[in-house]
Amino acid sequence: MDTLQGAIDERRAHVAIIGQGYVGLPLAMGFAQVGYRVTGLEADPEKVASLNAGRSYVPDISPAALQEALAQGYAATCDPACLAQADVILITVPTPYTKTKQPDMTYVQQAARAVSAHLRPGQLVILESTTYPGTTEELLLPELEKSGLKAGEAFEVAYSPERIDPGSRHYTLANTPKVVGGMTPRAAQLAAALYGSIVEQVVVVSSPAAAEMTKLLENTYRHVNIALANEMAQLCHVLGINVWEVIEAAGTKPFGFQAFYPGPGVGGHCIPIDPYYLIWKAQESETVARMIELAGQINERMPEWVVERVTDLLNDRGRSLRGSRVLLVGVSYKKDVPDMRESPALRVLEKLHQKGAHLTYHDPFVPSLPWHYGGLESVALTSQTLGSADCVVLLTDHSELDRELLAQYAPVLLDTRNMLQGYRQPNIVRL
Ligand code: SAJ
């Protein structure tokens, strides 16, 4: 009888998860809830202390859920020695990119070395971090075999991409199908049994590379279609057509069309970054990913286009951008989340500052900006702060923003999210 299979099936297995962020912590809570012993290995000691004190720093995980998991035996630690006690080890660490948009595998390599140093026979290792196809086989596996143990014999390896949509109320870990690719059929079977304990549907593919590529297709699909929407916005502006009306009308087609929307650019820790892992892999494989590269250029230029539109709006009112007071409303990377990673609002802010605008911002989720962005603090959204601006730019359409106030008191407002779609008045201008 396969002891690891039995331990997983009977939920006796000890699961260690490297990285307790927006991916690793929900997984830890999910496995703890169904009875597994779970250890969260986290490099940041402050986060470890916070977790063990029942304080969650991941918006999608409530303190109550964390405290319930702690009562069921979940514990966080900085000590990689915990890996030796685990039956299953999940790696959920960041995969950012460098300044030149090359994959930054630092965290995956560090995790792989830590696992290798504590690897023992009978373990299952699963990588979840979004990465280029081939990472599991070409980077993770050789590092693990430096332990002297042989993959597929002494231990098993699989890949399963995370599919979390931060802030989503509808799609959860449990109701989002989980794709799994194992280095061996047994690895796939073990991983499928583990995830099957917390996810309604597990989709097994033929290899880790297929699973890695599945995730990149999902996010690159968004990247390319958002770029198309952004290019349509620029075309429609020149042609005097309301792009939002066109997208809404196209959306009435019950098949063959999925609506994507223009915006001030693409932020977050996934969509702006993941496609560059694919571009890099294509270059490494002496081939090209032209459409993906072009989509990146289009999306990355959107902050500049927003600044051009602001400049034109001020110019139409006899004002130059230099010396004008511009109020940015909403600076996080998408609605109803506080996350600022790769937020296009920061690039809009930088460009406006470079051109001499006097900047203020309001964001209910972001109380202040780093010193690099002037250390600005969010101002209250009032008739006074709106009325004293020469131009207001709505960059993130947080649900709680007061539409009526914005429409009534902004001298002129560039709406990059069509949040004020119901307002047909001269001071409201759409992307
Ligand atoms: N955006 C647009 N137009 C659109 C959609 C999005 O400009 O039509 C912008 C958003 O404002 C944001 C960025 O793109 O700045 C990314 O938005 P997103 O909705 O893709 O949100 P993420 O990056 O937080 O989460 C995505 C997941 N979202 C959805 O599937 C809706 C999913 O792609 C991945 O599961 C996740 O990244 C991930 O972790 O990979």
Side-chain angles (χ1 to χ4, degrees), residues 214-229:
T214 299
K215 173 66 178 181
L216 288 182
L217 172 58
E218 290 165 16
N219 281 4
T220 303
Y221 163 80
R222 294 181 66 72
H223 165 85
V224 170
N225 280 286
I226 293 167
L228 175 61

PDB file of all heavy atoms in Angstrom, residues 214-229:
ATOM      1  N   THR A 214      -0.413  26.107 -19.298  1.00  0.00           N
ATOM      2  CA  THR A 214      -1.855  26.391 -19.131  1.00  0.00           C
ATOM      3  C   THR A 214      -2.045  27.716 -18.422  1.00  0.00           C
ATOM      4  O   THR A 214      -2.808  28.580 -18.845  1.00  0.00           O
ATOM      5  CB  THR A 214      -2.523  25.266 -18.319  1.00  0.00           C
ATOM      6  OG1 THR A 214      -2.377  24.032 -19.044  1.00  0.00           O
ATOM      7  CG2 THR A 214      -4.005  25.549 -18.076  1.00  0.00           C
ATOM      8  N   LYS A 215      -1.311  27.905 -17.338  1.00  0.00           N
ATOM      9  CA  LYS A 215      -1.429  29.142 -16.557  1.00  0.00           C
ATOM     10  C   LYS A 215      -0.986  30.339 -17.388  1.00  0.00           C
ATOM     11  O   LYS A 215      -1.633  31.394 -17.398  1.00  0.00           O
ATOM     12  CB  LYS A 215      -0.555  29.033 -15.306  1.00  0.00           C
ATOM     13  CG  LYS A 215      -0.450  30.309 -14.500  1.00  0.00           C
ATOM     14  CD  LYS A 215      -1.772  30.707 -13.882  1.00  0.00           C
ATOM     15  CE  LYS A 215      -1.623  31.958 -13.052  1.00  0.00           C
ATOM     16  NZ  LYS A 215      -2.873  32.352 -12.413  1.00  0.00           N
ATOM     17  N   LEU A 216       0.107  30.179 -18.124  1.00  0.00           N
ATOM     18  CA  LEU A 216       0.598  31.317 -18.914  1.00  0.00           C
ATOM     19  C   LEU A 216      -0.386  31.657 -20.027  1.00  0.00           C
ATOM     20  O   LEU A 216      -0.613  32.825 -20.337  1.00  0.00           O
ATOM     21  CB  LEU A 216       1.986  31.015 -19.468  1.00  0.00           C
ATOM     22  CG  LEU A 216       3.092  31.037 -18.412  1.00  0.00           C
ATOM     23  CD1 LEU A 216       4.440  30.768 -19.056  1.00  0.00           C
ATOM     24  CD2 LEU A 216       3.141  32.363 -17.667  1.00  0.00           C
ATOM     25  N   LEU A 217      -1.026  30.626 -20.607  1.00  0.00           N
ATOM     26  CA  LEU A 217      -2.046  30.921 -21.623  1.00  0.00           C
ATOM     27  C   LEU A 217      -3.189  31.732 -21.001  1.00  0.00           C
ATOM     28  O   LEU A 217      -3.638  32.731 -21.565  1.00  0.00           O
ATOM     29  CB  LEU A 217      -2.596  29.636 -22.231  1.00  0.00           C
ATOM     30  CG  LEU A 217      -3.809  29.822 -23.180  1.00  0.00           C
ATOM     31  CD1 LEU A 217      -3.467  30.740 -24.332  1.00  0.00           C
ATOM     32  CD2 LEU A 217      -4.320  28.470 -23.676  1.00  0.00           C
ATOM     33  N   GLU A 218      -3.630  31.331 -19.821  1.00  0.00           N
ATOM     34  CA  GLU A 218      -4.754  32.028 -19.174  1.00  0.00           C
ATOM     35  C   GLU A 218      -4.447  33.523 -18.993  1.00  0.00           C
ATOM     36  O   GLU A 218      -5.248  34.392 -19.331  1.00  0.00           O
ATOM     37  CB  GLU A 218      -5.022  31.411 -17.795  1.00  0.00           C
ATOM     38  CG  GLU A 218      -5.601  30.026 -17.836  1.00  0.00           C
ATOM     39  CD  GLU A 218      -5.509  29.299 -16.493  1.00  0.00           C
ATOM     40  OE1 GLU A 218      -5.267  29.955 -15.456  1.00  0.00           O
ATOM     41  OE2 GLU A 218      -5.678  28.073 -16.483  1.00  0.00           O
ATOM     42  N   ASN A 219      -3.263  33.801 -18.480  1.00  0.00           N
ATOM     43  CA  ASN A 219      -2.950  35.203 -18.183  1.00  0.00           C
ATOM     44  C   ASN A 219      -2.519  35.980 -19.422  1.00  0.00           C
ATOM     45  O   ASN A 219      -2.813  37.171 -19.541  1.00  0.00           O
ATOM     46  CB  ASN A 219      -1.887  35.279 -17.095  1.00  0.00           C
ATOM     47  CG  ASN A 219      -2.491  35.063 -15.703  1.00  0.00           C
ATOM     48  OD1 ASN A 219      -3.693  34.788 -15.600  1.00  0.00           O
ATOM     49  ND2 ASN A 219      -1.694  35.185 -14.667  1.00  0.00           N
ATOM     50  N   THR A 220      -1.880  35.295 -20.370  1.00  0.00           N
ATOM     51  CA  THR A 220      -1.481  35.974 -21.608  1.00  0.00           C
ATOM     52  C   THR A 220      -2.716  36.281 -22.457  1.00  0.00           C
ATOM     53  O   THR A 220      -2.784  37.320 -23.123  1.00  0.00           O
ATOM     54  CB  THR A 220      -0.471  35.115 -22.384  1.00  0.00           C
ATOM     55  OG1 THR A 220       0.644  34.841 -21.530  1.00  0.00           O
ATOM     56  CG2 THR A 220       0.012  35.813 -23.626  1.00  0.00           C
ATOM     57  N   TYR A 221      -3.690  35.416 -22.383  1.00  0.00           N
ATOM     58  CA  TYR A 221      -4.978  35.645 -23.053  1.00  0.00           C
ATOM     59  C   TYR A 221      -5.575  36.963 -22.567  1.00  0.00           C
ATOM     60  O   TYR A 221      -6.037  37.788 -23.370  1.00  0.00           O
ATOM     61  CB  TYR A 221      -5.899  34.471 -22.737  1.00  0.00           C
ATOM     62  CG  TYR A 221      -7.363  34.714 -22.988  1.00  0.00           C
ATOM     63  CD1 TYR A 221      -7.898  34.630 -24.269  1.00  0.00           C
ATOM     64  CD2 TYR A 221      -8.226  35.032 -21.929  1.00  0.00           C
ATOM     65  CE1 TYR A 221      -9.248  34.841 -24.511  1.00  0.00           C
ATOM     66  CE2 TYR A 221      -9.571  35.255 -22.162  1.00  0.00           C
ATOM     67  CZ  TYR A 221     -10.080  35.159 -23.446  1.00  0.00           C
ATOM     68  OH  TYR A 221     -11.422  35.382 -23.676  1.00  0.00           O
ATOM     69  N   ARG A 222      -5.504  37.200 -21.253  1.00  0.00           N
ATOM     70  CA  ARG A 222      -6.031  38.468 -20.712  1.00  0.00           C
ATOM     71  C   ARG A 222      -5.174  39.649 -21.167  1.00  0.00           C
ATOM     72  O   ARG A 222      -5.685  40.677 -21.610  1.00  0.00           O
ATOM     73  CB  ARG A 222      -6.109  38.415 -19.180  1.00  0.00           C
ATOM     74  CG  ARG A 222      -7.132  37.396 -18.669  1.00  0.00           C
ATOM     75  CD  ARG A 222      -7.213  37.370 -17.166  1.00  0.00           C
ATOM     76  NE  ARG A 222      -7.736  38.612 -16.604  1.00  0.00           N
ATOM     77  CZ  ARG A 222      -8.998  39.015 -16.686  1.00  0.00           C
ATOM     78  NH1 ARG A 222      -9.867  38.290 -17.332  1.00  0.00           N
ATOM     79  NH2 ARG A 222      -9.378  40.170 -16.156  1.00  0.00           N
ATOM     80  N   HIS A 223      -3.906  39.464 -21.085  1.00  0.00           N
ATOM     81  CA  HIS A 223      -2.918  40.508 -21.471  1.00  0.00           C
ATOM     82  C   HIS A 223      -3.167  40.972 -22.918  1.00  0.00           C
ATOM     83  O   HIS A 223      -3.270  42.159 -23.213  1.00  0.00           O
ATOM     84  CB  HIS A 223      -1.538  39.854 -21.322  1.00  0.00           C
ATOM     85  CG  HIS A 223      -0.381  40.533 -21.951  1.00  0.00           C
ATOM     86  ND1 HIS A 223       0.323  41.545 -21.332  1.00  0.00           N
ATOM     87  CD2 HIS A 223       0.245  40.300 -23.143  1.00  0.00           C
ATOM     88  CE1 HIS A 223       1.333  41.903 -22.131  1.00  0.00           C
ATOM     89  NE2 HIS A 223       1.301  41.170 -23.220  1.00  0.00           N
ATOM     90  N   VAL A 224      -3.339  40.035 -23.827  1.00  0.00           N
ATOM     91  CA  VAL A 224      -3.510  40.354 -25.252  1.00  0.00           C
ATOM     92  C   VAL A 224      -4.880  41.006 -25.501  1.00  0.00           C
ATOM     93  O   VAL A 224      -4.994  42.001 -26.222  1.00  0.00           O
ATOM     94  CB  VAL A 224      -3.337  39.076 -26.112  1.00  0.00           C
ATOM     95  CG1 VAL A 224      -3.750  39.317 -27.556  1.00  0.00           C
ATOM     96  CG2 VAL A 224      -1.890  38.597 -26.069  1.00  0.00           C
ATOM     97  N   ASN A 225      -5.905  40.492 -24.843  1.00  0.00           N
ATOM     98  CA  ASN A 225      -7.247  41.047 -25.067  1.00  0.00           C
ATOM     99  C   ASN A 225      -7.426  42.408 -24.402  1.00  0.00           C
ATOM    100  O   ASN A 225      -8.153  43.264 -24.914  1.00  0.00           O
ATOM    101  CB  ASN A 225      -8.307  40.054 -24.576  1.00  0.00           C
ATOM    102  CG  ASN A 225      -8.533  38.948 -25.593  1.00  0.00           C
ATOM    103  OD1 ASN A 225      -9.147  39.169 -26.632  1.00  0.00           O
ATOM    104  ND2 ASN A 225      -7.980  37.785 -25.327  1.00  0.00           N
ATOM    105  N   ILE A 226      -6.725  42.620 -23.315  1.00  0.00           N
ATOM    106  CA  ILE A 226      -6.766  43.965 -22.708  1.00  0.00           C
ATOM    107  C   ILE A 226      -6.049  44.939 -23.646  1.00  0.00           C
ATOM    108  O   ILE A 226      -6.507  46.060 -23.877  1.00  0.00           O
ATOM    109  CB  ILE A 226      -6.114  43.945 -21.318  1.00  0.00           C
ATOM    110  CG1 ILE A 226      -6.951  43.116 -20.339  1.00  0.00           C
ATOM    111  CG2 ILE A 226      -5.916  45.367 -20.802  1.00  0.00           C
ATOM    112  CD1 ILE A 226      -6.246  42.786 -19.034  1.00  0.00           C
ATOM    113  N   ALA A 227      -4.948  44.479 -24.254  1.00  0.00           N
ATOM    114  CA  ALA A 227      -4.218  45.328 -25.211  1.00  0.00           C
ATOM    115  C   ALA A 227      -5.117  45.663 -26.399  1.00  0.00           C
ATOM    116  O   ALA A 227      -5.131  46.807 -26.884  1.00  0.00           O
ATOM    117  CB  ALA A 227      -2.952  44.633 -25.677  1.00  0.00           C
ATOM    118  N   LEU A 228      -5.886  44.707 -26.856  1.00  0.00           N
ATOM    119  CA  LEU A 228      -6.817  44.967 -27.971  1.00  0.00           C
ATOM    120  C   LEU A 228      -7.828  46.040 -27.560  1.00  0.00           C
ATOM    121  O   LEU A 228      -8.084  47.007 -28.298  1.00  0.00           O
ATOM    122  CB  LEU A 228      -7.546  43.683 -28.363  1.00  0.00           C
ATOM    123  CG  LEU A 228      -8.639  43.827 -29.425  1.00  0.00           C
ATOM    124  CD1 LEU A 228      -8.066  44.346 -30.733  1.00  0.00           C
ATOM    125  CD2 LEU A 228      -9.371  42.491 -29.640  1.00  0.00           C
ATOM    126  N   ALA A 229      -8.347  45.912 -26.358  1.00  0.00           N
ATOM    127  CA  ALA A 229      -9.327  46.912 -25.881  1.00  0.00           C
ATOM    128  C   ALA A 229      -8.669  48.283 -25.787  1.00  0.00           C
ATOM    129  O   ALA A 229      -9.267  49.308 -26.152  1.00  0.00           O
ATOM    130  CB  ALA A 229      -9.869  46.492 -24.511  1.00  0.00           C
TER     131      ALA A 229
END
